Amino acid sequence: MMGATAPEAADRLPVRVGGTEYRRTAATPAHVLGFDQALLWVVVLLLAFSVVMVYSASIAMPDNPRFGNIAPTHFVLRHVIAIGVGFVGALLAFQVPMNTWERAAPWLFVASIVLLIAVLIPHVGVVVNGARRWLSLGVMNFQPSELAKFAVLIYAADYMVRKMEVKERFFRAVLPMGAAVAVVGALLLAEPDMGAFMVIAVIAMGILFLGGVNARMFFLIAAVLVAAFAVIVMTSPWRRERIFAYLDPFSEAHALGKGYQLSHALIAIGRGEIFGVGLGASVEKLHWLPEAHTDFLLAVIGEEFGLVGVLTLIVLFLWLTRRIMQIGRQAIALDRVFSGLVAQGVGIWVGFQAFINMGVNLGALPTKGLTLPLMSFGGSAILMNLVAIAVVLRVDYENKLLMRGGRV
């Protein structure tokens, strides 16, 4: 309109992100802008399903002398408490502006290093199944490696923003971040927890790549990491035995040893066929499949809900990962590089860890002690998963606020 004032015209200037056009409007109050509700409901759906499946997978545990005299609801009640604690943590994390996370990134990284050192101290770290990975907090055990995933993610995003001017130089941009990840990795391998180290290395590499590090340097780092993991595996007899067991889990040498979990996971998934044997009707969870409520929860889902249940879960995680990456891309398009890299880092974390867990359960990857995000029993993992999702929702909230002309 010819008579429109300059501010009115500016209010109608569109911002186009990913094919979607947004227009600035001062008429929408900030408190009704909200965030991605579809993302939130998918997370709620996964959490609700996790409660059902953790109860189903752990209901026979009281019969096992290893766990002593516990109630059939022992694990599911702790899982629900962990979700409740995670929900409170997520609410608090959502209130924190992204620029505050950016300022706190180095301190959060240092705090995670201190906790990773503390867990290695005798009588401080709690030993479970030969691994010293937990700190006792009374009501629950906390796993510092889960905090380390989040801390490295935040630190790597902040690091890339600070090093944006020299991102093409290996010694000034890549090497310091590589040294930081190496320190975390050394502490994790001392627990030992190679699975968490793999996830952290992939998160850091992914953020470096998305932050614009030279492709040749990226592939050089990837090659070095693959070689390092290969050396770690080949120099560790029990890790090497896991690889051989993965190649032939049903052989006489492995069926009752390192291939035991994988062979029974495959039996569970095979029994489920297309539609499963029905909720609660799994046989493998009756003391045949170890860790059925944690690392091998997907095998129980496959047995009780069949191929349909497993495919549904895969689709949900694919959608979740894709949506989180889109939120990160929106933030970068709005020149909010730190927020965008954080969101995309969470997408890498959730997607890669889900991929590894599903691959292990389906026999496509060697056995590794990684839980299924938002699903498996484990208080620390649930807490940090929900905090990470809350930070993504905060990024989305700030994106929407900016696209409608508000101020963060």
Side-chain angles (χ1 to χ4, degrees):
M1 293 175 60
M2 295 296 293
T5 63
E8 290 170 341
D11 283 347
R12 292 197 296 271
L13 287 176
V15 176
R16 187 175 295 276
V17 179
T20 304
E21 186 177 284
Y22 300 90
R23 293 179 180 273
R24 180 180 176 187
T25 171
T28 307
H31 68 274
V32 301
L33 294 177
F35 42 78
D36 195 315
Q37 293 198 17
L39 175 62
L40 177 63
W41 283 112
V42 167
V43 171
V44 170
L45 177 63
L46 288 171
L47 290 172
F49 188 43
S50 77
V51 172
V52 174
M53 291 314 302
V54 166
Y55 182 49
S56 176
S58 65
I59 196 169
M61 294 295 189
D63 298 335
N64 191 333
R66 171 190 164 196
F67 296 103
N69 186 24
I70 61 173
T73 56
H74 176 87
F75 290 101
V76 72
L77 283 178
R78 278 155 180 74
H79 188 63
V80 170
I81 290 170
I83 291 174
V85 172
F87 179 70
V88 173
L91 283 177
L92 294 175
F94 182 78
Q95 304 304 317
V96 180
M98 292 309 297
N99 56 9
T100 303
W101 285 114
E102 188 170 5
R103 290 195 301 270
W107 301 107
L108 190 62
F109 179 73
V110 170
S112 70
I113 294 289
V114 170
L115 290 177
L116 287 173
I117 293 172
V119 81
L120 297 175
I121 300 173
H123 309 298
V124 176
V126 177
V127 180
V128 179
N129 294 333
R132 193 184 296 274
R133 301 178 184 173
W134 292 267
L135 294 172
S136 178
L137 301 181
V139 294
M140 63 181 284
N141 288 338
F142 182 73
Q143 198 168 355
S145 60
E146 294 296 333
L147 175 63
K149 293 173 188 177
F150 182 71
V152 168
L153 187 157
I154 296 287
Y155 180 71
D158 171 60
Y159 179 86
M160 278 310 302
V161 172
R162 288 187 282 111
K163 298 291 183 180
M164 199 59 72
E165 299 297 323
V166 293
K167 63 185 179 183
E168 297 292 329
R169 301 180 187 178
F170 179 81
F171 289 102
R172 293 186 63 185
V174 179
L175 192 60
M177 189 66 221
V181 173
V183 170
V184 175
L187 292 171
L188 288 171
L189 290 174
E191 294 183 4
D193 192 351
M194 186 175 171
F197 181 27
M198 285 177 59
V199 173
I200 285 172
V202 168
I203 290 171
M205 280 182 56
I207 290 177
L208 288 177
F209 180 72
L210 294 169
V213 165
N214 183 285
R216 282 178 297 178
M217 286 195 292
F218 173 79
F219 288 116
L220 174 62
I221 299 167
V224 169
L225 273 175
V226 169
F229 282 124
V231 169
I232 291 169
V233 170
M234 297 312 293
T235 55
S236 172
W238 62 274
R239 288 193 178 106
R240 192 167 61 245
E241 192 177 340
R242 273 188 174 183
I243 298 294
F244 293 138
Y246 150 73
L247 295 173
D248 188 8
F250 291 99
S251 69
E252 274 188 51
H254 302 128
L256 295 177
K258 293 295 183 183
Y260 183 82
Q261 277 183 307
L262 177 54
S263 61
H264 281 277
L266 293 175
I267 291 169
I269 290 171
R271 286 192 75 247
E273 298 185 350
I274 304 297
F275 297 105
V277 297
L279 178 62
S282 167
V283 171
E284 285 297 321
K285 71 184 180 185
L286 304 177
H287 312 303
W288 293 103
L289 176 62
E291 310 300 336
H293 60 309
T294 56
D295 301 349
F296 284 86
L297 187 67
L298 185 71
V300 178
I301 293 171
E303 187 176 2
E304 297 190 346
F305 291 92
L307 178 65
V308 172
V310 172
L311 286 179
T312 300
L313 208 55
I314 290 173
V315 169
L316 285 174
F317 273 102
L318 279 172
W319 184 91
L320 186 68
T321 303
R322 180 175 177 272
R323 183 61 196 131
I324 292 172
M325 298 298 283
Q326 284 178 335
I327 289 171
R329 200 159 61 243
Q330 284 180 350
I332 292 173
L334 292 167
D335 202 26
R336 302 175 64 239
V337 179
F338 171 76
S339 298
L341 290 177
V342 167
Q344 291 181 327
V346 173
I348 293 169
W349 174 6
V350 172
F352 179 73
Q353 188 162 324
F355 171 77
I356 294 294
N357 179 272
M358 291 175 178
V360 167
N361 275 258
L362 297 171
L365 295 171
T367 304
K368 200 80 232 85
L370 285 173
T371 58
L372 186 59
L374 302 169
M375 291 287 298
S376 295
F377 175 82
S380 306
I382 290 289
L383 170 62
M384 295 315 303
N385 288 164
L386 290 177
V387 167
I389 293 294
V391 171
V392 172
L393 291 174
R394 177 71 196 193
V395 172
D396 187 54
Y397 170 78
E398 292 186 4
N399 286 351
K400 288 180 168 61
L401 197 59
L402 286 172
M403 289 189 290
R404 288 172 170 82
R407 298 180 66 181
V408 177

